[in-house]
Amino acid sequence: MGRMLLARLADVSEQVAATSARSRKIAVLADLFAATPPAEVPLVIAYLAGRLPQGRIGIGWSTLKDPVAPAGHATLTVAGTDAALTALAGVAGAGSRTERRRLVRDLMAAATAPEQRFLVRLLAGEVRQGALDAIALEGVAQAAGAPPADVRRAVMLDGSLPRVATVLLAEGPAVLERFRLAVGTPVQPMLAHTAKSVADALAALGPCAVEEKLDGIRIQVHRSGDDVRIYTRSLDEITDRLPEVRGVARDVAGDAFILDGEVIALDGAGRPVPFQETASRVGSRVDVATAAAARPVSPVFFDLLALDGRALLDLPGHERHAELARLVPDPLRVRRTVVTDPADPGQRRAAEAFFAGTLDRGHEGVLVKALDAPYSAGRRGRSWLKVKPVHTLDLVVLAAEWGHGRRTGLLSNLHLGARAADGTFVMLGKTFKGLTDEMLRWQTDRLRELAVSDDGSTVTVRPELLVEIAYDGLQRSPRYPAGVTLRFARVVRHRPDKPAAQADTVERVVAGPQSRVV
Ligand SMILES: Nc1ncnc2c1ncn2[C@@H]1O[C@H](COP(=O)(O)OP(=O)(O)OP(=O)(O)O)[C@@H](O)[C@H]1O
């Protein structure tokens, strides 16, 4: 198996985008993976989904737009492209702009016309195959002759499709046996759907638990003997940033376990502080001791995924919770109430009262969880439903306008996009409301890092930063591509912890709880 040519990948990327038939996409990808040297599989998966392993490489749109005569023959390999991008990312210091321009030109000159198109889209952040990873998984399964469900399970236990795909394609389906739940290997967390009300959630789920929805950061805490490791929802390790959580995990009277929960900063009265403060505490790597003293955080656990060498994922929720309750003492466990019979008016009232009480205590809503449901790692399961009084959307910042007056020098008015089926983003409106001075400063720094162009009034960015938006409904507007825009959109907070691929979709906005167009 020779090295994979970039031309092949560019062609497949176009074919996948061009067809809406899922089975066709999978077949095209299966052919590609069957021809990919296993070591290059992670790169191929990343490029197809529009991710650069180097992260940001700091080249602007103007550099990418430089016309360079394309090569006549396809010789550029995927591995060669990666090496060129690594070199680009490493350029620093005086003259780096010129040097970067030169390297981009060299790369473009080695590329054929279709490869150039692909590279420009990849580097500008325009390759956005939102659902690509799910389809890539099926493509890999087909190429390896393995049942997709087995591959999915391995990925959810290992946390990494590229890693599973590499060994699967190299060694064959028998290797899937090797992926077992392991302390120290993070699992993709289970996510929730939305319900309009507690009553709807009870009706949909039957016997269930109603839990506080804490407005913090999702964490997964692994312990094996004295070794404690903490991971985010995107499976990044953040053990060193949360010494107090490590301490709590060490004190738990158990030896080997994986806990799922939320970390949150509470004030003296036990009420949550604004989300931004928890997020910046969890996000800060420098001088952790000072940050921890100034803004201590506490973990609150709501699930137990493994205990003493047993995987608990397939147990019904109430059994996992019973194990959790034995392992973790009360204040470290999420508050909840159980509804065994949703037809019983008394229990329904108790659930509503719990929801109201949770909001009174300053939390953002509740999660309603079916008692009999297993833990569907990595999925937005139908058995967890979240209910919040204010409906919000998670949208992607596509661009931002420089502010005026008090906001001069700050990026203010945000252009907001929802996810479309083809992985691109559709602009739904703009807002500069709800932003505090601190949020303005923070977003200006972050958006500058993501900038691809600046015409002096508007900065276009790579579509990577999510913002949570509250709004009062939809309004017809021929100026926006979906024909509607958001009424009174305002920023609730930034969501740097949530990947852009999980932004709300246009369909959901248009069909959602506030879809009535006025
Ligand atoms: N009791 C709880 N059970 C499960 N998740 C909880 C709980 N309390 C807070 N959460 C948080 O809520 C999230 C579940 O909502 P969802 O899966 O929709 O993710 P999300 O998009 O981050 O939600 P949102 O944007 O509403 O915060 C979890 O990822 C977790 O961080």
Side-chain angles (χ1 to χ4, degrees), residues 395-402 412-418 425-432 443 447 457-461 463 465 467 469 480:
L395 300 177
V396 177
V397 179
L398 305 175
E401 295 169 17
W402 291 107
S412 172
N413 204 13
L414 301 175
H415 298 200
L416 306 167
F425 294 102
V426 174
M427 186 167 167
L428 278 182
K430 303 181 187 181
T431 187
F432 51 81
Q443 76 177 24
L447 293 172
S457 71
T458 304
V459 174
T460 306
V461 296
L465 176 64
V467 280
I469 298 291
Y480 289 99

Side-chain angles (χ1 to χ4, degrees), residues 213-216 262 273-277 279 364 386 388 392-395 397 414 433-435 439 442-443 465-470 490-498:
K213 186 175 197 299
L214 299 154
D215 203 2
E262 196 87 347
V273 304
F275 171 78
Q276 221 68 29
E277 293 187 30
E364 61 167 347
K386 57 180 169 178
K388 294 199 258 184
T392 58
L393 298 172
D394 290 325
L395 300 177
V397 179
L414 301 175
K433 299 211 170 69
L435 293 160
M439 288 162 85
W442 186 89
Q443 76 177 24
L465 176 64
L466 284 194
V467 280
E468 185 175 341
I469 298 291
R490 55 219 180 255
V491 179
V492 180
R493 61 198 181 189
H494 298 117
R495 291 295 309 264
D497 60 312
K498 191 167 172 175

Side-chain angles (χ1 to χ4, degrees), residues 189-194 210-219 233 260-262 275 300-303 334-335 364-367 369 379-380 384 386 388 392-394 468 493 495 497-498 502 504:
M190 177 164 172
L191 301 172
H193 268 278
T194 302
V210 185
E211 295 184 352
E212 281 177 339
K213 186 175 197 299
L214 299 154
D215 203 2
I217 299 280
R218 184 85 173 256
I219 49 166
R233 75 185 250 167
D260 186 9
E262 196 87 347
F275 171 78
V300 179
F301 298 110
F302 45 75
D303 220 314
V334 80
R335 259 198 216 141
E364 61 167 347
V366 290
L367 263 131
K369 301 180 175 178
R379 306 253 198 95
R380 216 169 262 289
W384 284 16
K386 57 180 169 178
K388 294 199 258 184
T392 58
L393 298 172
D394 290 325
E468 185 175 341
R493 61 198 181 189
R495 291 295 309 264
D497 60 312
K498 191 167 172 175
Q502 290 177 13
D504 278 305

Side-chain angles (χ1 to χ4, degrees), residues 245-453:
V245 177
R246 200 166 42 186
V248 165
R250 282 216 179 106
D251 289 344
V252 169
D255 193 47
F257 52 77
I258 301 177
L259 286 163
D260 186 9
E262 196 87 347
V263 66
I264 186 165
L266 301 168
D267 66 15
R271 295 176 70 84
V273 304
F275 171 78
Q276 221 68 29
E277 293 187 30
T278 298
S280 73
R281 169 61 218 285
V282 176
S284 75
R285 291 155 228 254
V286 288
D287 203 359
V288 169
T290 313
R295 175 57 80 211
V297 290
S298 356
V300 179
F301 298 110
F302 45 75
D303 220 314
L304 180 63
L305 311 189
L307 183 63
D308 297 333
R310 278 182 305 136
L312 308 185
L313 301 174
D314 293 332
L315 292 183
H318 68 96
E319 287 183 29
R320 294 199 310 280
H321 191 266
E323 300 261 15
L324 174 71
R326 274 195 285 278
L327 185 71
V328 171
D330 209 4
L332 291 175
R333 256 187 355 254
V334 80
R335 259 198 216 141
R336 68 183 214 157
T337 186
V338 172
V339 177
T340 49
D341 178 8
D344 172 355
Q347 291 197 26
R348 280 209 304 270
R349 273 198 301 278
E352 294 289 355
F354 182 86
F355 179 48
T358 300
L359 298 179
D360 282 348
R361 287 193 300 277
H363 299 297
E364 61 167 347
V366 290
L367 263 131
V368 186
K369 301 180 175 178
L371 289 183
D372 62 359
Y375 190 91
S376 10
R379 306 253 198 95
R380 216 169 262 289
R382 289 271 165 204
S383 43
W384 284 16
L385 297 174
K386 57 180 169 178
V387 184
K388 294 199 258 184
V390 184
H391 183 66
T392 58
L393 298 172
D394 290 325
L395 300 177
V396 177
V397 179
L398 305 175
E401 295 169 17
W402 291 107
H404 301 287
R406 277 190 60 230
R407 292 185 173 189
T408 301
L410 293 168
L411 284 170
S412 172
N413 204 13
L414 301 175
H415 298 200
L416 306 167
R419 201 152 51 86
D422 63 0
T424 60
F425 294 102
V426 174
M427 186 167 167
L428 278 182
K430 303 181 187 181
T431 187
F432 51 81
K433 299 211 170 69
L435 293 160
T436 63
D437 290 348
E438 200 200 324
M439 288 162 85
L440 281 161
R441 273 195 300 276
W442 186 89
Q443 76 177 24
T444 303
D445 289 347
R446 179 75 187 110
L447 293 172
R448 271 195 170 133
E449 291 172 0
L450 297 177
V452 290
S453 71

Side-chain angles (χ1 to χ4, degrees), residues 222-238:
H222 291 225
R223 181 172 140 194
S224 176
D226 284 339
D227 189 17
V228 173
R229 281 159 205 267
I230 308 167
Y231 302 90
T232 62
R233 75 185 250 167
S234 43
L235 313 188
D236 297 318
E237 191 180 341
I238 52 165

Side-chain angles (χ1 to χ4, degrees), residues 60-68 101 104-105 108 120 124 126:
W61 187 241
S62 58
T63 311
L64 291 174
K65 279 289 168 190
D66 271 357
V68 177
R101 244 195 156 91
V104 171
R105 263 171 196 283
M108 289 298 176
V120 168
E126 286 173 7

